[in-house]
Amino acid sequence: MHTWSTDQVDPKDRFDYWREVRAKGLFGVTAELEADRRRDFFGEFSLRKLGDAGLVELRASPYRVERRTGDIADAASNSLCIYQQLGGGGWFGGARLDEFSVRDGMFATSYSDLPYRTVPLHDDGFHLRIIKVPVANIVPSGAELGELVPRPLQDETALRALLESCFRDLIESNDAATAGTAPTVQALAHIALIERGIMRPKSRLAQQALRTAHLSLARRLIRRHLARAALSPTLIAGLLGISVRHLHILFEETEMSFSETVTALRLEQSRRLLREQPGQTIAEIAFACGFESLATFYRLFNASESMTPGDYRAQTA
C-alpha cells in the first residue's frame, strides 16, 4: 500500500505539486484550479496492487480534471476503469459522451484512454475509489473498448449488486497476491463488460464471472441474515434470483457446502462476541448468531474449538 497527501508539501506549492507530479504523472490527467484557491488545496490518495490491477482511493478539495488527447498520448493506460463515488458527487462530460452526474455510492465504468472532463458537484470535493484492470487480462478476443466512454452503472440493473459485491471483496481483501485476487478482479471486470454490452452474458467467461459474483453476494447475504435461525438455501437463492439447485452448485465448487459455510460464519461471529461482549450471556450469543438451540451451539463450538464457549471466553479474556 502506497499513501501520499499534500500535507507533505508546503501550502503554497501543494496544488502545483499535485497537478504536475500526482495528477499528470500518476493519473495521466490535467488538473486546473484558480490561483487564489490553490493555497487551501488538499489532496490525498492510496494505491494498492491487486495482482496486475490497481486500487486507488482519492480524496481532494474541488478542482477541475480533464483527460486530454495529449494526456492519453503521454500516459496511455489501456485499462478498464471501475469507479465508485464515495462522497461529494461528480459531473462528467466530454466531446464523445452524454453529460451525467454520479451521487454517493454510485458506480461508473470506462476505458482509460478516452477523453473526458469532470468536476465535483459540491464544496467537499472528490472522494472516490477506482479499480484499474489492464485490458490484456480481461477483454475477450475480438472485443474493442474504444467506444467505452464513462457511463454510470444503472442502479436498477441486477448486475449492480454483483459488481458491488466483487468490488467490496477487493476493498476488504488483505491479499495483494495475484493468486488471491485475480479471480475476483476478473469477475469484476467481466461483470462491468457484460453491463456495457461488450461481453455476451451466455459466453463461457461471462458465466464464470457470474458464478464468482453470485457466490460473493451469497456469502454477504448469509452474513446479513446470520441471526435468523430460519436462514436457508431457499431464502438466499430467492434474494439472489437463482434456483436453490444453482445455489448449491455454486458452493459445491468451493471448500465448504452452503450449510458448512453458514455454520462456519456463525461460529466465527460467536467467537468474536465471546471476546468482545463480556456482558452477554452464552445463550444470548448463541441465539444472536442464529443457532436454533443452546445444545446445538455447544456441540458445534466444542467440535470446532475443542473447548466449551465458557472456557474460550475465559481463555481469551
Side-chain angles (χ1 to χ4, degrees):
M1 173 80 77
H2 174 66
T3 61
W4 187 87
S5 86
T6 50
D7 289 342
Q8 301 173 35
V9 181
D10 189 286
K12 65 181 178 61
D13 299 323
R14 284 176 180 173
F15 183 75
D16 288 338
Y17 186 90
W18 181 270
R19 179 180 60 185
E20 298 302 324
V21 178
R22 300 304 171 181
K24 193 171 291 293
L26 183 62
F27 303 116
V29 297
T30 297
E32 298 292 348
L33 183 64
E34 292 79 6
D36 60 350
R37 300 177 61 189
R38 293 183 179 183
R39 189 175 183 87
D40 297 325
F41 176 79
F42 170 78
E44 65 180 4
F45 71 88
S46 63
L47 171 63
R48 180 158 65 97
K49 295 293 290 181
L50 300 169
D52 293 334
L55 166 64
V56 174
E57 182 169 344
L58 180 148
R59 187 195 302 266
S61 50
Y63 66 104
R64 298 182 300 280
V65 176
E66 187 170 0
R67 184 141 165 86
R68 302 170 177 170
T69 303
D71 297 323
I72 295 168
D74 292 339
S77 174
N78 196 28
S79 299
L80 173 68
C81 298
I82 300 109
Y83 308 80
Q84 182 188 25
Q85 190 75 26
L86 298 176
W91 170 90
F92 280 81
R96 298 177 56 190
L97 67 148
D98 296 330
E99 295 184 7
F100 66 89
S101 296
V102 289
R103 63 182 184 273
D104 294 2
M106 283 183 64
F107 289 87
T109 57
S110 73
Y111 176 56
S112 62
D113 295 344
L114 293 173
Y116 67 87
R117 299 192 305 274
T118 182
V119 293
L121 293 177
H122 307 293
D123 291 340
D124 48 357
F126 291 106
H127 187 195
L128 67 156
R129 292 189 181 110
I130 308 168
I131 292 180
K132 297 178 69 174
V133 188
V135 165
N137 297 345
I138 51 93
V139 174
S141 177
E144 296 288 341
L145 300 189
E147 299 300 317
L148 205 70
V149 296
R151 195 182 80 182
L153 186 72
Q154 300 304 307
D155 286 350
E156 61 269 18
T157 177
L159 293 173
R160 186 193 189 284
L162 299 178
L163 183 141
E164 181 176 13
S165 187
C166 290
F167 198 98
R168 289 177 62 189
D169 282 350
L170 293 170
I171 299 301
E172 296 164 5
S173 172
N174 292 320
D175 187 358
T178 301
T181 59
T184 307
V185 169
Q186 187 172 72
L188 174 71
H190 287 167
I191 294 295
L193 293 179
I194 295 168
E195 195 273 337
R196 293 298 297 265
I198 302 295
M199 180 175 283
R200 293 183 296 105
K202 297 297 185 182
S203 69
R204 180 184 61 81
L205 289 175
Q207 288 297 300
Q208 179 58 52
L210 290 168
R211 285 194 296 272
T212 299
H214 274 121
L215 183 60
S216 167
L217 185 54
R219 287 171 170 152
R220 291 190 179 279
L221 291 169
I222 289 170
R223 289 182 184 275
R224 190 177 304 166
H225 295 278
L226 268 182
R228 299 177 61 171
L231 173 60
S232 67
T234 301
L235 171 66
I236 300 302
L239 293 171
L240 285 171
I242 63 176
S243 69
V244 172
R245 173 172 170 74
H246 188 181
L247 179 69
H248 283 302
I249 290 173
L250 292 177
F251 281 91
E252 285 173 4
E253 297 177 357
T254 70
E255 295 179 354
M256 292 189 291
S257 67
F258 177 88
S259 61
E260 290 170 338
T261 299
V262 172
T263 298
L265 291 174
R266 283 177 167 159
L267 288 171
E268 176 187 306
Q269 182 169 313
S270 72
R271 290 192 296 270
R272 180 180 62 80
L273 293 176
L274 286 167
R275 294 191 305 268
E276 299 176 4
Q277 301 296 330
Q280 281 190 297
T281 67
I282 290 175
E284 288 171 336
I285 288 173
F287 294 122
C289 295
F291 291 99
E292 58 186 358
S293 72
L294 193 56
T296 298
F297 175 52
Y298 268 88
R299 176 174 58 79
L300 293 172
F301 196 95
N302 266 304
S304 172
E305 302 298 322
S306 299
M307 66 179 74
T308 67
D311 289 340
Y312 178 87
R313 168 174 271 175
Q315 183 173 299
T316 57

